[in-house]
Amino acid sequence: MQTVAHKLSPEESLRAANTNFYAAFESLDLVQMEGVWAHDDDVSCVHAGSELLLGWEEVRDRWARIFANAKKVRVALSCVWLRVEGNAGWVVCTERVTTAFTEGFDDTRVQATNIFVRTDDGWLLVARHASPLPSAARTPVQ
Amino acid sequence: MQTVAHKLSPEESLRAANTNFYAAFESLDLVQMEGVWAHDDDVSCVHAGSELLLGWEEVRDRWARIFANAKKVRVALSCVWLRVEGNAGWVVCTERVTTAFTEGFDDTRVQATNIFVRTDDGWLLVARHASPLPSAARTPVQ
């Protein structure tokens, strides 16, 4: 008896890649985060409220710093919207990011655009632009 | 005698489309801005410090409001970086946006990601994500 695996549509696999990115974010595991990004000089990342990072080395180093400073991160997504154009695809979504530090935590709402490129290894993240939403309930608690 | 027009590379035409977008921004002319965007339900726009706008109608209406409130806009670009993947392409750049209102003006630094799709009518803007840079010298003067 044969089982036929469901072949994901480009939109479904893009959505899965985006989910994997947030799983890597929550994992605080740099190896897992490395797995979702393309590793070239052309990747870019704008973290919420920050300057542009360009090239995998800069992007990776910032994730390492973020992960070193956080004890736990949870990201709840809403308004997830995506579009595929050939081997490029992007996801526009709203994140509620709750971060626990050694002392206190941070709760922010972030608008994000994540751009992926489809490769032989599946969709890889090549550009991320995140920005704080104006109504962000930024409540550091000590 | 024949003259051979220089055929623009995808990167060159993408850069030109991005330049046209900023020319439309500076023109404060809604018709010109309409010309650079795709007009479908799937376009998205995050203005600096604002919530997501989804669909051409919302995007267009906000431009109309921005243009109605501004007397003059000048945008100086720096750190312009772009990438083409098939019929999709995006530009990551830093904007210095100077806006004159009836009373006073505003001077902000903005990080932007502009995503275009190549159509029979050339590159059209389909998604924009802009966010204020942390060191923005926001100096409203009356």
Side-chain angles (χ1 to χ4, degrees):
Chain A
M1 195 180 83
Q2 275 193 315
T3 56
V4 178
H6 170 59
K7 190 171 173 351
L8 295 181
S9 71
E11 286 76 12
E12 286 170 328
S13 58
L14 176 61
R15 189 180 294 271
N18 194 59
T19 300
N20 285 345
F21 161 67
Y22 288 103
F25 193 170
E26 290 188 338
S27 76
L28 303 181
D29 176 357
L30 196 56
V31 173
Q32 197 167 328
M33 185 55 87
E34 286 171 352
V36 303
W37 283 84
H39 298 185
D40 61 47
D41 292 344
D42 292 336
V43 300
S44 62
C45 185
V46 178
H47 287 289
S50 292
E51 305 262 347
L52 171 71
L53 306 171
L54 200 52
W56 171 240
E57 200 172 335
E58 276 191 19
V59 171
R60 181 189 179 282
D61 288 354
R62 185 63 58 90
W63 282 117
R65 193 149 22 122
I66 290 169
F67 287 178
N69 287 331
K71 279 191 70 178
K72 188 167 185 172
V73 170
R74 286 295 172 263
V75 186
L77 295 188
S78 57
C79 304
V80 179
W81 177 94
L82 55 84
R83 181 166 179 159
V84 173
E85 290 288 337
N87 286 328
W90 52 98
V91 182
V92 174
C93 55
T94 304
E95 308 167 357
R96 181 174 173 172
V97 184
T98 307
T99 309
F101 303 100
T102 306
E103 295 186 4
F105 69 93
D106 213 23
D107 190 14
T108 58
R109 280 181 69 235
V110 171
Q111 188 62 44
T113 301
N114 300 322
I115 310 177
F116 295 80
V117 168
R118 188 160 38 183
T119 72
D120 293 342
D121 298 323
W123 291 103
L124 292 177
L125 190 52
V126 295
R128 171 170 160 81
H129 191 143
S131 55
L133 279 167
S135 55
R138 199 178 168 83
T139 51
V141 176
Q142 301 251 330
Chain B
M1 195 179 83
Q2 274 192 317
T3 56
V4 179
H6 170 59
K7 191 171 175 343
L8 296 180
S9 72
E11 286 76 12
E12 286 170 327
S13 59
L14 176 62
R15 188 181 294 270
N18 194 59
T19 301
N20 286 345
F21 162 67
Y22 288 103
F25 195 170
E26 291 189 337
S27 77
L28 304 181
D29 176 357
L30 196 56
V31 174
Q32 198 168 328
M33 185 55 89
E34 285 171 353
V36 303
W37 282 83
H39 298 184
D40 60 47
D41 291 344
D42 293 334
V43 301
S44 62
C45 185
V46 179
H47 287 287
S50 292
E51 304 263 348
L52 171 71
L53 305 172
L54 201 52
W56 170 238
E57 199 171 336
E58 276 190 19
V59 171
R60 181 189 179 282
D61 288 354
R62 185 63 59 90
W63 281 117
R65 194 155 15 127
I66 291 169
F67 286 179
N69 287 330
K71 278 190 68 177
K72 189 167 183 172
V73 170
R74 286 296 172 263
V75 186
L77 296 187
S78 58
C79 305
V80 179
W81 177 95
L82 54 86
R83 181 165 180 159
V84 172
E85 289 290 335
N87 286 328
W90 52 97
V91 182
V92 174
C93 55
T94 305
E95 308 166 356
R96 180 173 175 175
V97 184
T98 308
T99 308
F101 303 101
T102 304
E103 295 185 4
F105 69 92
D106 214 22
D107 191 15
T108 57
R109 279 180 70 235
V110 170
Q111 187 63 44
T113 301
N114 300 322
I115 310 178
F116 296 80
V117 169
R118 190 160 36 184
T119 71
D120 293 341
D121 297 324
W123 290 104
L124 292 177
L125 190 53
V126 295
R128 170 170 161 81
H129 192 144
S131 56
L133 281 167
S135 55
R138 200 180 167 83
T139 51
V141 176
Q142 303 252 328

